[in-house]
Amino acid sequence: MQQDKPEPEGSMEWRSPSNIALIKYWGKQGNQIPMNPSLSMTLKYAFTQTEVKWRPNDGTTQGEFDFFLSGQKVGPKFEKRVGNLIKEMAKAYPVLNDLYFSITSLNTFPHSTGIASSASGLSALALSLLSAAQRATGKADEYPRFLQKASHYARLGSGSACRSIYGPYAIWGGGVNTESSDEYAIPYKPHQDFEIIYDSILIFSEKPKKVGSSAGHKLMDEHFYRQGRINQVRENSIRLLKALETGDFEMWQEVVEQEALSLHGLMFASHEPVLLLEPDTIRFIHDLNAFRAGKGLKVAFTIDAGPNIHLLYADEHREIIRNFISEWIMDHHLQIQVLDDETGKGAKQLFE
Amino acid sequence: MQQDKPEPEGSMEWRSPSNIALIKYWGKQGNQIPMNPSLSMTLKYAFTQTEVKWRPNDGTTQGEFDFFLSGQKVGPKFEKRVGNLIKEMAKAYPVLNDLYFSITSLNTFPHSTGIASSASGLSALALSLLSAAQRATGKADEYPRFLQKASHYARLGSGSACRSIYGPYAIWGGGVNTESSDEYAIPYKPHQDFEIIYDSILIFSEKPKKVGSSAGHKLMDEHFYRQGRINQVRENSIRLLKALETGDFEMWQEVVEQEALSLHGLMFASHEPVLLLEPDTIRFIHDLNAFRAGKGLKVAFTIDAGPNIHLLYADEHREIIRNFISEWIMDHHLQIQVLDDETGKGAKQLFE
């Protein structure tokens, strides 16, 4: 990332993956500061690729841009989010006010699969815009510092996006260790047994979420279980890190599943109760519990703020788990999508 | 209940209904003291009828009895519970140690329908044993005091049983008003619009509970959300009483459904997560929400520590709700039982 001559026009492209939270981010405060720390596994195949082309604008407008997602002009809501991100970045890089951006973005995963595309989307965007800003000024950061800044800006765009910068795992939120921060995520490397975990994502519903992320996080503001939740995450973070460090799959499963169910439990108990689970979500968990009972399989489910199951498992049980999934889908005559993914390395710059 | 001559042998019979908690009892401490107050609606048709016959025992044994439920000798687990209750009552009524009891009990609702029979069963038993004890000693309490004592003993047998003594509603747990107590329940009479509420109980699973009541309550001992739950119940109790007093069906629905989902949310977030909901529980709630949206129907669902839905509704919407239930069951080709019940008056002594 060395450079010294400003480039008044050019293009930068980044690929940034989605991530699945094992310790859940639920509740925020201030300007995208999380209520509690979170920890995620970075995915490999579900990613967004975003190219930012820049050139000087006509001098009469600020922060103008076009944004095409999969060839379609994005809607006003997402456009506003992008505009806000550019404004935030312009505080540190005023040059952005003098540029016009043409942004094109692609997701590898099908639209409306219930996978949060904001994590990959906003992190790819933050990375590309930050690259553009540094090119345009001729002042590039060293790589670790650049990624940390990108994570910071990604966070302002969408909380979970700050974790997508890094792999194989990422921690966001202060107090987990001396390096973790509320401002940006840091990478985390676990015991080798957890370096490659498979993730089969069962898409039970492609409907858009009934409760948007911001409204969802707001449910924690006055939640009766707020302090209890903060204490719970503290313990779960300690336990999950211990499991990931020592290779303890049993503890890993316990924490991962408790976090998933706690997230939905918190939604259930909100002032306005939220039920995002679908009948098949429940059916799958019951059947999984019956199937794996006593077998000691290295498998755990997690669920985000939606109905879809992420089934996480180790390589040694890959075949038995994939067979279970296939047979379960056949047994219930379901027509659902399954996206097979695995642990990934984080964001990556693309060169022509 | 006037008498003065001891009756060394005789028989007493009581009928005691089940009840459905609107504010949930979940978590206990000490000897059957609830973690928080609860409030229930008493049912009318789901009841237990228990006859206790007594005669002097042979003087060498204490607290001996036979117990037949629906003509079958009860299992050792329930037998132990009955024995413990007799022992507790013998502290105040030592005469019980000199008696032999022959107990027969019947439930009106089918066995294994997922309705807690311990509420009606233990309250009918406590009432009959207390009657027997007072007959055998010749010292009968006045009616209000007798019922309060029976509620106290019913509580020792099974927490929710203490509420089954009274109708149309009952409150158990101190601090709700000047009369409420942790030791026994008190009756509660609401606004006339809430005097008759129908309850259609949809039995989605007849399987025995995966987590027994005692193990379930224990989950609250070290629960991270314990204090938050106590605060939540405080607010929900105030709100529900206000709704019941003023006839506010909208607030009633909000509180009743939040309590139901919070109970399951607490189970989700326990150290050992518990998932008692069935796929059809979730399906029904989603479909109910879609059906009633914007219609202003006086209807609310609640769920106990199991998968079955209690659908509560006012008389004026009885037809539309019963039609909805029938059509929903037909649409999904389900073969499930529905028990139609309504608000009841509480326990009742039976005379030949």
Side-chain angles (χ1 to χ4, degrees):
Chain A
M1 306 231 56
Q2 294 299 332
Q3 86 201 72
D4 43 23
K5 254 177 49 188
E7 295 178 19
E9 68 178 85
S11 79
M12 292 297 286
E13 186 167 16
W14 279 82
R15 166 185 296 182
S16 196
S18 193
N19 68 77
I20 174 69
L22 307 182
I23 301 280
K24 303 295 183 183
Y25 158 46
W26 194 241
K28 60 183 174 187
Q29 45 201 342
N31 191 11
Q32 298 278 99
I33 298 298
M35 189 185 89
N36 59 258
S38 57
L39 186 152
S40 60
M41 183 180 104
T42 306
L43 296 182
K44 186 170 179 177
Y45 300 115
F47 59 77
T48 300
Q49 206 156 296
T50 297
E51 185 179 25
V52 167
K53 290 185 187 168
W54 71 94
R55 55 177 169 77
N57 62 24
D58 64 9
T60 64
T61 55
Q62 284 196 345
E64 234 192 339
F65 63 91
D66 275 315
F67 198 123
F68 287 86
L69 175 61
S70 307
Q72 301 280 319
K73 206 161 167 22
V74 296
K77 219 171 140 185
F78 187 71
E79 203 163 48
K80 202 180 157 195
R81 234 164 140 181
V82 177
N84 286 339
L85 183 58
I86 294 175
K87 257 183 230 152
E88 278 288 348
M89 296 181 73
K91 292 178 189 167
Y93 297 95
V95 68
L96 292 178
N97 291 325
D98 306 325
L99 301 175
Y100 163 83
F101 296 103
S102 168
I103 308 170
T104 51
S105 197
L106 286 168
N107 289 332
T108 54
F109 44 99
H111 197 57
S112 303
T113 45
I115 297 183
S117 55
S118 62
S120 55
L122 269 298
S123 71
L125 179 65
L127 286 157
S128 299
L129 284 172
L130 185 61
S131 288
Q134 298 201 345
R135 288 275 176 171
T137 55
K139 284 180 199 151
D141 282 311
E142 292 300 316
Y143 209 62
R145 176 74 186 127
F146 173 81
L147 290 180
Q148 197 176 84
K149 265 192 194 172
S151 181
H152 162 84
Y153 287 118
R155 185 199 106 228
L156 296 177
S158 169
S160 57
C162 76
R163 298 185 309 239
S164 277
I165 307 292
Y166 300 107
Y169 294 78
I171 296 170
W172 172 36
V176 179
N177 59 33
T178 51
E179 277 157 40
S180 79
S181 166
D182 284 346
E183 305 285 331
Y184 46 78
I186 57 170
Y188 174 76
K189 197 171 150 45
H191 187 280
Q192 62 179 15
D193 289 358
F194 281 106
E195 273 182 15
I196 299 293
I197 293 291
Y198 293 94
D199 179 5
S200 291
I201 312 166
L202 286 81
I203 313 292
F204 291 125
S205 173
E206 307 190 354
K207 283 180 282 187
K209 283 191 279 187
K210 276 171 274 181
V211 175
S213 292
S214 290
H217 289 290
K218 247 186 127 51
L219 294 171
M220 290 310 295
D221 288 355
E222 306 282 317
H223 203 298
F224 279 112
Y225 307 165
R226 184 182 167 92
Q227 188 54 48
R229 171 61 186 157
I230 291 168
N231 298 341
Q232 184 188 36
V233 170
R234 203 173 294 145
E235 183 177 289
N236 278 352
S237 298
I238 292 167
R239 294 185 72 215
L240 186 64
L241 283 175
K242 199 173 166 189
L244 290 174
E245 270 158 29
T246 58
D248 184 339
F249 275 90
E250 207 178 311
M251 200 194 287
W252 167 78
Q253 185 214 318
E254 272 177 35
V255 178
V256 166
E257 296 183 1
Q258 203 212 62
E259 277 291 307
L261 291 174
S262 289
L263 172 66
H264 286 270
L266 289 165
M267 285 191 261
F268 276 18
S270 300
H271 281 88
E272 295 170 50
V274 177
L275 176 63
L276 299 180
L277 302 174
E278 291 286 337
D280 286 328
T281 321
I282 302 291
R283 192 189 311 279
F284 184 83
I285 297 173
H286 283 311
D287 291 347
L288 174 70
N289 285 340
F291 171 76
R292 68 183 169 179
K295 289 201 183 82
L297 296 174
K298 295 177 177 173
V299 60
F301 67 82
T302 186
I303 319 174
D304 260 355
N308 304 318
I309 296 266
H310 287 249
L311 199 59
L312 306 166
Y313 46 93
D315 188 40
E316 68 188 279
H317 295 132
R318 186 175 162 173
E319 200 181 326
I320 188 171
I321 292 299
R322 293 214 172 158
N323 283 344
F324 167 72
I325 294 173
S326 305
E327 279 170 29
W328 185 82
I329 291 172
M330 278 194 295
D331 283 354
H332 292 288
H333 308 287
L334 297 177
Q335 292 198 307
I336 63 168
Q337 255 191 307
V338 180
L339 301 180
D340 283 317
D341 214 317
E342 61 184 80
T343 321
K345 293 189 161 62
K348 185 177 157 181
Q349 191 176 4
L350 302 174
F351 298 95
E352 274 144 39
Chain B
M1 306 233 55
Q2 293 301 331
Q3 85 201 69
D4 42 24
K5 255 178 48 190
E7 295 178 18
E9 68 178 87
S11 79
M12 291 297 286
E13 186 167 15
W14 280 82
R15 167 185 294 182
S16 198
S18 191
N19 69 76
I20 174 68
L22 307 182
I23 300 280
K24 303 295 184 185
Y25 158 46
W26 194 240
K28 61 184 174 188
Q29 44 201 342
N31 191 12
Q32 296 279 99
I33 298 297
M35 187 185 91
N36 59 259
S38 56
L39 186 153
S40 60
M41 184 180 103
T42 306
L43 297 183
K44 186 171 180 178
Y45 300 115
F47 59 78
T48 300
Q49 205 156 294
T50 298
E51 184 179 26
V52 167
K53 290 184 188 167
W54 70 95
R55 55 176 169 78
N57 61 25
D58 63 7
T60 64
T61 54
Q62 284 195 346
E64 232 191 342
F65 63 92
D66 275 317
F67 199 123
F68 287 85
L69 176 61
S70 309
Q72 300 280 318
K73 206 161 166 22
V74 296
K77 220 171 141 186
F78 187 70
E79 204 162 48
K80 202 178 156 199
R81 236 164 140 180
V82 176
N84 285 340
L85 182 59
I86 294 175
K87 256 182 231 153
E88 278 288 348
M89 296 180 73
K91 291 178 189 166
Y93 298 93
V95 67
L96 292 177
N97 290 326
D98 307 324
L99 301 174
Y100 164 82
F101 297 102
S102 168
I103 307 169
T104 52
S105 197
L106 287 168
N107 289 332
T108 54
F109 44 98
H111 196 60
S112 303
T113 47
I115 296 183
S117 56
S118 62
S120 55
L122 269 298
S123 71
L125 179 65
L127 285 158
S128 301
L129 284 172
L130 185 61
S131 289
Q134 298 201 345
R135 289 273 175 172
T137 54
K139 286 182 198 145
D141 283 311
E142 292 301 316
Y143 209 63
R145 176 74 185 129
F146 173 82
L147 291 180
Q148 198 176 82
K149 265 193 194 169
S151 181
H152 163 83
Y153 288 119
R155 185 201 104 225
L156 296 177
S158 168
S160 58
C162 76
R163 298 185 309 238
S164 278
I165 306 292
Y166 300 108
Y169 293 78
I171 296 170
W172 171 36
V176 178
N177 59 33
T178 51
E179 277 156 40
S180 79
S181 166
D182 284 346
E183 303 286 330
Y184 47 79
I186 56 170
Y188 175 75
K189 195 171 150 46
H191 186 281
Q192 61 177 16
D193 290 359
F194 281 106
E195 272 182 17
I196 300 294
I197 293 292
Y198 294 93
D199 180 5
S200 290
I201 312 166
L202 287 82
I203 313 292
F204 292 125
S205 173
E206 307 189 355
K207 282 180 281 185
K209 283 192 279 185
K210 275 171 274 181
V211 176
S213 291
S214 291
H217 289 289
K218 248 187 124 51
L219 295 172
M220 290 310 295
D221 288 356
E222 306 283 318
H223 203 298
F224 279 113
Y225 306 166
R226 184 182 167 91
Q227 188 54 48
R229 171 60 186 157
I230 290 168
N231 297 340
Q232 184 187 36
V233 170
R234 202 172 295 145
E235 182 177 291
N236 278 352
S237 299
I238 292 167
R239 294 185 73 216
L240 186 64
L241 283 175
K242 198 172 167 189
L244 289 174
E245 271 158 29
T246 58
D248 184 339
F249 275 90
E250 205 178 313
M251 201 195 284
W252 167 79
Q253 184 213 318
E254 271 177 36
V255 178
V256 167
E257 296 183 1
Q258 203 210 62
E259 276 292 305
L261 290 174
S262 289
L263 171 68
H264 287 269
L266 289 165
M267 286 190 259
F268 276 19
S270 300
H271 281 89
E272 295 169 50
V274 177
L275 177 62
L276 299 180
L277 303 173
E278 290 287 337
D280 286 328
T281 322
I282 301 292
R283 193 189 310 278
F284 184 84
I285 298 173
H286 283 311
D287 291 347
L288 173 70
N289 285 340
F291 172 75
R292 67 182 170 179
K295 289 199 185 82
L297 296 174
K298 294 176 176 174
V299 60
F301 68 81
T302 186
I303 319 172
D304 260 354
N308 303 319
I309 295 267
H310 288 250
L311 199 60
L312 307 166
Y313 46 94
D315 188 39
E316 66 187 278
H317 296 130
R318 187 173 162 176
E319 200 182 325
I320 189 171
I321 293 298
R322 293 214 173 157
N323 283 343
F324 167 72
I325 294 173
S326 305
E327 279 171 28
W328 186 81
I329 291 172
M330 279 195 294
D331 282 355
H332 292 289
H333 309 286
L334 297 178
Q335 293 198 307
I336 63 167
Q337 257 191 306
V338 180
L339 301 179
D340 283 317
D341 215 315
E342 60 184 82
T343 321
K345 292 188 161 58
K348 184 177 158 178
Q349 191 176 2
L350 301 174
F351 298 94
E352 275 145 37

